[in-house]
């Protein structure tokens, strides 16, 4: 049966994982390759690396990291942060990285999504949407790590990026991110039901039931989480076992 | 020695990295001349059917690939590489495929499911094949696609998967051609097993 995906997300700065992953087995919690391997062994379905430095000088470091990850683990992974040009994407895909996630540059120039998906195929273009609730059932899109409002309506923007050729949406609720109170289920459901492409829910997971709600109520195709996994509060096998017991199909 | 065909369509690096990991020697081929002596060939690829055939054509690779098949060399198509082996695709109705397998490529028709079919799905084996050795019913593989191959004859259907309301071909092949709609190079250990089987084939 088609499985719902569980995706750990790693923030990377200058080639090092920040807020290090605390696995007992891990010698170097800051090494992206070791972290990737650990999650691979736990049966993560995909991985996302977000480069929070995202400076031009840093491109080489990110590419080196992607090279090493691609040589070590054989599950799909996405790299996001600071991707502004077709050549940035080409450099990353050449490493063996599967998808790139674009956010600010997509808002700045929506045609970039079109150009990128035409060149490399929709399947590798993930558009990240950071959304913040403005009113009941109304969310606006933010960029620059949630600092800058674009005035765009999140639902309309999601439909637009789908038309432009995005293959997937990584949807983060700015309101819920870091709260551990669960995903913004209204937002997730609204976006997921407005597009035909898969939606990854992100921001707010604090317990296992939040994943269940993300799939069941939020209609997410995949659930992303960071700290809940990094700090060893829950691991991926127990997350999946829990979901399976609640009737959500997962890959064990 | 395995030859990976590079025709400018997407991430062949993930295939080559998996081969490196398994310790298999490979070369990357971009021109017809490189294919002449090839004995084991991987045709990877992501993107659109029509674009891919155009790229193969502009590099003069279509006839050499057909020739390989006629000489019974081993050919492994991955994802779009599976679809290209068929005669036609709904994605690009005016473009001929390689036609090494009888049948055509269709789009998912199920309602209530997301297209592309993106993520992990399990397979059901329909026919034994050396490349599916030690693979079991219920094993999960990673898929990313909106179209799938529909063999004209059942005898090339090796494994199926289920999405929405459709059973579709997850693996097809005969005694010299094998292809998967999923990405073995992105399907963890179980995917690497298939690549190992190909190395041994």
């Amino acid at each position: 049966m088609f499985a719902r995906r569980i995706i750990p997300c790693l923030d990377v700065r200058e080639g090092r994982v920040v807020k290090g992953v605390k696995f007992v087995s891990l010698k170097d919690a800051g090494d992206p390759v070791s972290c990737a391997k650990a999650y691979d062994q736990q049966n993560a379905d995909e991985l996302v690396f977000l480069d929070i430095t995202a400076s031009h000088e840093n491109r080489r470091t990110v590419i080196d990291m992607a090279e090493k990850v691609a040589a070590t683990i054989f599950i799909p992974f996405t790299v996001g942060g600071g991707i502004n040009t077709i050549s940035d994407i080409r450099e990353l895909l050449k490493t063996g990285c599967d998808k790139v996630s674009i956010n600010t540059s997509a808002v700045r120039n929506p045609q970039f999504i079109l150009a990128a998906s035409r060149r490399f195929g929709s399947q590798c273009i993930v558009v990240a949407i950071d959304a913040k609730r403005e009113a009941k059932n109304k969310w606006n899109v933010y960029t620059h790590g949630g600092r800058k409002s674009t005035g765009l309506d999140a639902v309309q923007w999601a439909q637009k990026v789908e038309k432009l050729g995005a293959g997937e949406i990584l949807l983060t609720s700015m309101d819920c991110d870091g709260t551990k109170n669960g995903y913004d289920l209204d937002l997730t459901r609204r976006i997921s039901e407005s597009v035909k492409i898969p939606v990854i829910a992100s921001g707010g997971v604090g317990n296992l039931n939040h994943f269940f709600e993300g799939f069941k109520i939020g209609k997410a195709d995949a659930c992303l989480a960071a700290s809940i996994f990094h700090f060893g509060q829950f691991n991926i096998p127990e997350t999946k076992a829990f979901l399976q017991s609640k009737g959500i199909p997962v890959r064990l | 020695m395995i030859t990976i065909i590079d025709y400018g369509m997407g991430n062949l690096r993930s295939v080559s990295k998996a081969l490196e990991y398994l310790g298999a020697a490979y070369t990357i081929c971009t021109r017809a001349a490189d294919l002449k002596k090839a004995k084991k060939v991987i045709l990877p690829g992501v993107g659109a059917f029509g674009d891919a055939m155009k790229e193969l054509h502009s590099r003069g690779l279509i006839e050499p690939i057909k020739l390989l098949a006629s000489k019974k060399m081993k050919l492994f198509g991955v994802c779009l590489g599976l679809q290209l082996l068929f005669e036609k695709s709904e994605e690009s109705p005016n473009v001929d495929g390689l036609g090494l397998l009888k049948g055509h490529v269709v789009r998912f028709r199920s309602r209530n499911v997301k297209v592309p079919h993106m993520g992990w799905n399990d397979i059901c084996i329909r026919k034994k094949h050396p490349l599916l050795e030690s693979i079991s019913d219920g094993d999960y593989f990673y898929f990313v696609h909106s179209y799938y191959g529909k063999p004209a004859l059942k005898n090339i259907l090796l494994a199926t998967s289920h999405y929405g309301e459709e059973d579709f071909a997850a693996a097809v092949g005969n005694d010299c051609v094998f292809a998967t709609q999923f990405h073995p190079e992105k399907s963890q250990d179980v995917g690497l097993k298939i690549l190992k089987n190909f190395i041994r084939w």
Side-chain angles (χ1 to χ4, degrees):
Chain A
M1 204 188 303
F2 183 59
R4 299 288 178 272
R5 288 171 283 159
I6 297 293
I7 309 177
C9 175
L10 296 150
D11 286 347
V12 178
R13 180 189 283 148
E14 282 155 8
R16 301 283 295 167
V17 175
V18 288
K19 297 186 280 186
V21 177
K22 290 188 180 161
F23 296 147
V24 214
S25 57
L26 217 58
K27 283 203 192 83
D28 180 359
D31 174 33
V33 180
S34 307
C35 293
K37 231 179 181 165
Y39 280 128
D40 174 58
Q41 280 159 5
Q42 286 194 14
N43 258 350
D45 295 311
E46 284 186 38
L47 290 176
V48 170
F49 293 91
L50 283 185
D51 171 29
I52 56 176
T53 343
S55 66
H56 187 68
E57 301 73 41
N58 192 44
R59 294 312 308 163
R60 194 65 249 162
T61 324
V62 176
I63 286 159
D64 285 347
M65 179 201 76
E67 281 276 357
K68 288 185 196 133
V69 170
T72 318
I73 60 156
F74 298 96
I75 57 171
F77 71 98
T78 302
V79 176
I83 294 162
N84 295 308
T85 64
I86 290 290
S87 105
D88 289 342
I89 299 176
R90 186 186 305 118
E91 287 297 310
L92 275 168
L93 295 179
K94 264 169 56 184
T95 66
C97 150
D98 300 277
K99 311 177 194 180
V100 295
S101 166
I102 52 180
N103 183 347
T104 305
S105 54
V107 171
R108 198 189 297 135
N109 173 21
Q111 293 306 309
F112 181 50
I113 305 170
L114 184 68
S117 62
R118 283 230 175 113
R119 177 69 188 83
F120 305 106
S122 288
Q123 83 294 331
C124 64
I125 307 300
V126 181
V127 173
I129 300 179
D130 292 345
K132 198 169 172 177
R133 196 184 282 262
E134 300 295 316
K136 192 172 163 48
N137 293 328
K138 167 103 181 97
W139 296 265
N140 275 0
V141 177
Y142 280 68
T143 56
H144 298 83
R147 293 190 301 275
K148 218 169 135 186
S149 172
T150 62
L152 290 166
D153 175 77
V155 176
Q156 285 171 11
W157 176 238
Q159 289 171 327
K160 184 166 177 185
V161 304
E162 176 183 30
K163 270 202 199 85
L164 289 168
E168 202 168 24
I169 290 170
L170 168 48
L171 177 66
T172 303
S173 158
M174 305 306 303
D175 305 292
C176 297
D177 202 22
T179 64
K180 297 193 176 290
N181 291 328
Y183 297 113
D184 184 333
L185 299 172
D186 293 335
L187 167 72
T188 307
R189 183 177 191 134
R190 182 60 74 89
I191 301 280
S192 189
E193 288 181 339
S194 304
V195 294
K196 275 285 269 177
I197 54 177
V199 172
I200 306 168
S202 154
V205 172
N207 62 45
L208 295 185
N209 203 49
H210 292 150
F211 289 106
F212 173 68
E213 291 172 350
F215 290 123
K216 190 75 185 175
I217 304 169
K219 305 281 175 200
D221 299 280
C223 279
L224 178 140
S227 55
I228 191 172
F229 294 138
H230 299 339
F231 300 119
Q233 191 184 350
F234 294 104
N235 63 33
I236 293 167
E238 61 189 337
T239 304
K240 288 187 173 180
F242 173 80
L243 289 168
Q244 194 188 39
S245 75
K246 303 275 272 179
I248 302 288
V250 287
R251 179 183 68 112
L252 290 174
Chain B
M1 177 67 72
I2 291 169
T3 305
I4 305 173
I5 301 179
D6 176 10
Y7 55 108
M9 296 295 285
N11 49 352
L12 81 160
R13 272 305 277 153
S14 43
V15 172
S16 62
K17 284 216 162 155
L19 293 179
E20 275 166 34
Y21 182 82
L22 295 171
Y26 68 89
T27 59
I28 291 179
C29 135
T30 53
R31 300 171 308 139
D34 303 338
L35 265 186
K36 273 204 183 118
K37 287 186 185 148
K39 293 197 161 54
K40 258 184 194 181
V41 177
I42 297 181
L43 180 64
V46 289
F49 187 93
D51 292 344
M53 286 308 298
K54 207 188 322 171
E55 294 294 335
L56 285 174
H57 178 74
S58 73
R59 288 165 167 78
L61 289 167
I62 292 178
E63 288 313 314
I65 293 173
K66 288 184 178 173
L67 195 65
L68 283 175
S70 71
K71 289 194 292 188
K72 299 277 176 197
M73 297 305 169
K74 309 294 191 203
L75 179 62
F76 186 169
V78 176
C79 191
L80 181 63
L82 172 146
Q83 298 177 9
L84 298 174
L85 298 174
F86 285 93
E87 296 160 294
K88 286 275 184 194
S89 172
E90 283 181 3
E91 189 175 13
S92 317
N94 301 319
V95 180
D96 284 336
L98 292 165
L100 299 178
L101 299 177
K102 293 256 179 277
H104 61 291
V105 176
V106 299
R107 192 177 164 88
F108 277 111
R109 281 178 172 68
S110 302
R111 287 152 188 251
N112 319 324
V113 288
K114 298 288 177 78
V115 178
H117 169 229
M118 184 188 280
W120 297 80
N121 209 334
D122 62 346
I123 65 164
C124 177
I125 294 171
R126 303 290 178 177
K127 194 181 171 191
K128 273 194 159 181
H129 191 278
L131 265 70
L132 294 176
E133 206 186 297
S134 64
I135 302 298
S136 317
D137 282 351
D139 281 347
Y140 273 89
F141 293 89
Y142 187 77
F143 292 83
V144 190
H145 62 122
S146 302
Y147 295 81
Y148 61 87
K150 221 173 173 173
L153 296 168
K154 282 277 180 295
N155 64 354
I156 59 164
L157 185 64
L158 303 177
T160 55
S161 190
H162 188 83
Y163 189 57
E165 295 123 33
E166 287 158 272
D167 274 329
F168 67 93
V172 292
N174 53 35
D175 55 350
C176 63
V177 173
F178 176 84
T180 58
Q181 183 56 65
F182 53 80
H183 289 270
E185 77 284 11
K186 287 290 164 184
S187 299
Q188 251 181 341
D189 297 350
V190 72
L192 295 178
K193 257 190 224 168
I194 292 184
L195 287 170
K196 263 189 229 165
N197 290 340
F198 180 63
I199 295 165
R200 269 199 303 250
W201 197 24

